[in-house]
């Protein structure tokens, strides 16, 4: 029975962010078909921020009208919406409509909003429900959340989405010289997209199946014995996709935040094996919150908006690898952090600086698009892929470290963590959207027809 419950908890957690993670890894294929093209990542980024009205609504209702929202009913509702949205996306993702004389993929964008609404709201509903079960199942839930990023990335690798090759295309043109007209054959390179191993329809149907598995797992979890006294066992917060408010809400106030916080010296339960007291001053907490805000702006707003510009100049294969491998780096970093946690502020600052350096390189390459550094060298392909993977991995691990530290303070500290995380994400997205879509700060081009200096 315990093993079955672990499997159910893992499957339940897997449905928390699988839909949005699936969208991100499918973007290399989507940009080749949808009319938004290279602008698509910035649209997805801003839509995810808009979808945070879901967790905001749940947060406010739980704060001012506790008990009004029935947790189980809300979870059933959002998972069901996720199942329907994934299913509709499988059949409507490539439908377009004309708005103000320009073609847009309106069904895709609307359904993306609902998927983001589901995934963002899951962050403030799934974990409180898991706290009703035995504490050991909560760690399994977080492993499931890690798989919500890993599984779509593996499927996308198998699909081979967005891959292309350059082919020579000939065309006949008439050249007039004086009174004489001659026919001439001109050859030029054009991008030919390779068919994926399976279609986008199949990909989104697989995402629908994962959401259905999550729904069934939740159904059986509601029939498990409950633990009504919340365990004091140390639990790690999820950092798989950090575009929402944090998981746990506390109706009380946190008097410790005014003077710092400390980890309890004496364990409250069998899961708390901590040899000494760890205290954090107000200055240290302020530093943590500033780092969280900065990192969230980079990982959730600034860099995702320009990933196409930093990778596509090196080819669609490079873009495909950078997208899928960085999506895998995120959950893997979080899983590693669960087993090898660290509360070193020095390490946190070092990781933030390293991740910012990788992000700065990615952003600089995007600014130089369509002719970035080493564009005609395989080293350029390797460096940009590794830069995206290390950018995602280092900052994901840093966010988990921040969550571990703030969990030791109080639930209110985690609420502040989630609010500042969301603030940073929103600022980053609002900053990049006009630069990408209005002012044309970044330039796109066809990889095969680029005329870049050697």
């Amino acid at each position: 029975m315990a093993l079955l419950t672990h499997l159910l908890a893992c499957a339940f957690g897997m449905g928390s962010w699988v839909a949005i993670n699936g969208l991100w890894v499918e973007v290399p294929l989507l940009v080749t078909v949808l009319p938004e093209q290279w602008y698509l990542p910035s649209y997805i980024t801003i839509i995810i921020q808009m979808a945070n009205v879901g967790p905001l609504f749940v947060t406010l209702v739980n704060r001012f009208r506790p008990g009004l929202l029935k947790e189980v009913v809300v979870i059933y509702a959002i998972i069901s919406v996720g199942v329907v949205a994934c299913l509709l996306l499988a059949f409507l993702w490539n439908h377009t409509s004309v708005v103000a004389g320009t073609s847009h993929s309106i069904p895709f964008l609307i359904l993306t909003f609902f998927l983001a609404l589901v995934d963002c709201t899951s962050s403030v509903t799934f974990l409180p429900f898991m706290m009703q079960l035995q504490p050991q199942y909560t760690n399994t839930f977080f492993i499931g959340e890690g798989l919500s990023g890993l599984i779509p990335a593996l499927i996308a690798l198998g699909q081979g989405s967005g891959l292309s090759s350059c082919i020579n295309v000939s065309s006949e043109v008439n050249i007039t010289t004086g009174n004489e007209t001659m026919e001439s054959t001109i050859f030029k390179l054009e991008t030919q997209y390779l068919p994926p191993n399976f279609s986008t329809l199949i990909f989104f149907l697989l995402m629908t199946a994962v959401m259905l598995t999550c729904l069934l797992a939740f159904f059986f979890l509601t029939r498990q014995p409950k633990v009504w006294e919340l365990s004091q066992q140390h639990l790690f917060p999820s950092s798989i996709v950090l575009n929402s408010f944090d998981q746990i809400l506390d109706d009380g106030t946190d008097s410790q935040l005014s003077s710092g916080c400390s980890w309890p010296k004496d364990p409250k339960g069998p899961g708390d094996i901590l040899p000494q007291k760890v205290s954090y001053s107000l200055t240290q907490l302020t530093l943590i919150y500033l780092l969280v805000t900065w990192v969230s702006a980079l990982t959730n707003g600034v860099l995702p908006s320009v990933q196409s510009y930093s990778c596509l100049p090196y080819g669609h294969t490079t873009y495909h690898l950078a997208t899928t491998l960085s999506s895998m780096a995120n959950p893997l970093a979080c899983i590693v952090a669960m087993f090898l946690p660290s509360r070193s502020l020095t390490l946190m600052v070092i990781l933030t600086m390293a991740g910012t350096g990788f992000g700065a390189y990615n952003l600089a390459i995007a600014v130089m698009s369509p002719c970035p550094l080493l564009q005609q060298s395989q080293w350029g392909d390797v460096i940009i892929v590794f830069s995206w993977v290390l950018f995602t991995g280092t900052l994901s691990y840093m966010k988990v470290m921040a969550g571990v530290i703030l969990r030791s303070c109080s639930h209110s500290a985690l609420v502040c963590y989630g609010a500042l995380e969301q603030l940073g994400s929103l600022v980053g997205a609002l900053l990049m959207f006009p630069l990408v879509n209005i002012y044309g700060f970044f330039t796109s081009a066809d990889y095969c027809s680029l005329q870049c200096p050697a």
Side-chain angles (χ1 to χ4, degrees):
M1 179 60 73
L3 177 60
L4 176 61
T5 307
H6 278 294
L7 292 175
L8 292 174
C10 184
F12 179 52
M14 200 164 54
S16 57
W17 281 97
V18 71
I20 290 300
N21 288 333
L23 277 181
W24 278 120
V25 298
E26 194 71 357
V27 162
L29 189 148
L30 299 177
V31 296
T32 66
V33 179
L34 298 182
E36 288 78 13
Q37 296 182 338
W38 287 32
Y39 296 122
L40 186 63
S42 64
Y43 277 96
I44 295 177
T45 301
I46 202 70
I47 286 173
I48 291 174
Q49 302 308 317
M50 293 169 57
N52 276 288
V53 296
L56 176 62
F57 173 76
V58 174
T59 299
L60 294 177
V61 171
N62 286 339
R63 179 65 181 87
F64 297 106
R65 295 292 300 274
L68 180 63
L69 292 178
K70 303 300 180 183
E71 193 172 78
V72 172
V73 175
V74 172
I75 294 175
Y76 269 125
I78 63 175
I79 298 179
S80 300
V81 169
V83 171
V84 174
C86 278
L87 185 61
L88 291 176
L89 198 60
F91 298 97
L92 302 176
W93 69 273
N94 57 350
H95 286 233
T96 59
S97 302
V98 177
V99 178
T102 306
S103 180
H104 288 283
S105 48
I106 299 300
F108 173 83
L109 297 177
I110 292 175
L111 292 172
T112 296
F113 172 79
F114 281 104
L115 289 180
L117 186 68
V118 169
D119 290 359
C120 291
T121 309
S122 72
S123 292
V124 294
T125 53
F126 281 21
L127 186 60
F129 169 80
M130 289 302 301
M131 298 292 277
Q132 300 178 18
L133 304 178
Q134 294 289 339
Q136 64 266 24
Y137 300 127
T138 308
N139 286 339
T140 309
F141 168 83
F142 286 131
I143 293 176
E145 282 202 333
L147 294 177
S148 73
L150 185 61
I151 289 178
L154 292 175
I155 294 176
L157 281 176
Q159 183 188 28
S161 59
L163 302 182
S164 65
S165 62
C166 298
I167 60 172
N168 247 327
V169 177
S170 62
S171 58
E172 301 291 335
V173 296
N174 293 325
I175 300 177
T176 302
T177 304
N179 295 326
E180 186 178 358
T181 301
M182 300 177 58
E183 285 191 353
S184 178
T185 302
I186 295 179
F187 295 90
K188 65 177 181 178
L189 287 175
E190 288 187 356
T191 301
Q192 183 180 59
Y193 294 105
L194 304 178
N197 296 324
F198 52 87
S199 66
T200 302
L201 168 67
I202 300 300
F203 181 87
F204 285 125
L205 287 179
L206 290 174
M207 295 300 101
T208 305
V210 175
M211 291 300 298
L212 280 172
T213 303
C214 173
L215 182 62
L216 290 174
F218 178 67
F219 173 79
F220 289 109
L221 282 175
T222 56
R223 280 143 181 81
Q224 297 296 312
K226 305 295 188 301
V227 177
W228 299 109
E229 292 186 2
L230 298 182
S231 170
Q232 298 296 317
Q233 181 179 7
H234 173 62
L235 302 172
F236 299 100
S238 170
S239 301
I240 303 306
V241 177
L242 295 159
N243 293 319
S244 60
F245 294 99
D246 212 83
Q247 296 93 336
I248 305 174
L249 304 174
D250 192 297
D251 292 333
T253 59
D254 182 19
S255 61
Q256 292 176 333
L257 287 179
S258 60
S259 59
C261 70
S262 62
W263 192 281
K265 184 175 182 179
D266 299 321
K268 301 293 183 181
D272 293 321
I273 305 174
L274 297 168
Q276 59 184 2
K277 183 177 180 179
V278 182
S279 299
Y280 300 98
S281 66
L282 179 60
T283 302
Q284 291 174 320
L285 288 176
T286 302
L287 173 63
I288 293 172
Y289 285 133
L290 288 175
L291 292 178
V292 167
T293 306
W294 171 254
V295 169
S296 299
L298 292 180
T299 57
N300 302 331
V302 176
L303 270 302
S305 300
V306 297
Q307 188 173 29
S308 56
Y309 295 92
S310 69
C311 297
L312 275 175
Y314 297 99
H316 284 82
T317 301
T318 301
Y319 185 25
H320 170 68
L321 290 175
T323 303
T324 52
L325 293 180
S326 61
S327 294
M328 294 170 66
N330 189 322
L332 289 175
C334 297
I335 293 173
V336 169
M338 289 182 61
F339 296 101
L340 298 174
S342 174
R343 300 182 183 87
S344 169
L345 294 182
T346 302
L347 178 59
M348 183 181 297
V349 172
I350 292 174
L351 288 176
T352 302
M353 293 175 62
T356 301
F358 292 123
Y361 177 80
N362 298 337
L363 186 60
I365 293 298
V367 171
M368 288 186 280
S369 174
C371 296
L373 295 174
L374 302 174
Q375 192 268 336
Q376 298 177 356
S377 169
Q378 289 185 347
W379 283 108
D381 302 3
V382 173
I383 291 173
I384 194 64
V385 170
F386 270 97
S387 181
W388 271 101
V389 171
L390 293 173
F391 164 76
T392 305
T394 54
L395 296 187
S396 296
Y397 187 83
M398 175 270 160
K399 283 187 175 183
V400 178
M401 290 175 61
V404 170
I405 292 174
L406 296 175
R407 179 70 186 228
S408 70
C409 297
S410 70
H411 290 172
S412 297
L414 283 179
V415 174
C416 292
Y417 168 90
L420 291 175
E421 183 180 56
Q422 173 59 19
L423 176 63
S425 304
L426 181 62
V427 170
L430 292 178
L431 173 66
M432 296 306 296
F433 189 81
L435 293 178
V436 174
N437 297 279
I438 298 176
Y439 298 110
F441 196 75
F442 302 90
T443 305
S444 61
D446 182 13
Y447 169 71
C448 292
S449 59
L450 286 177
Q451 299 295 328
C452 294

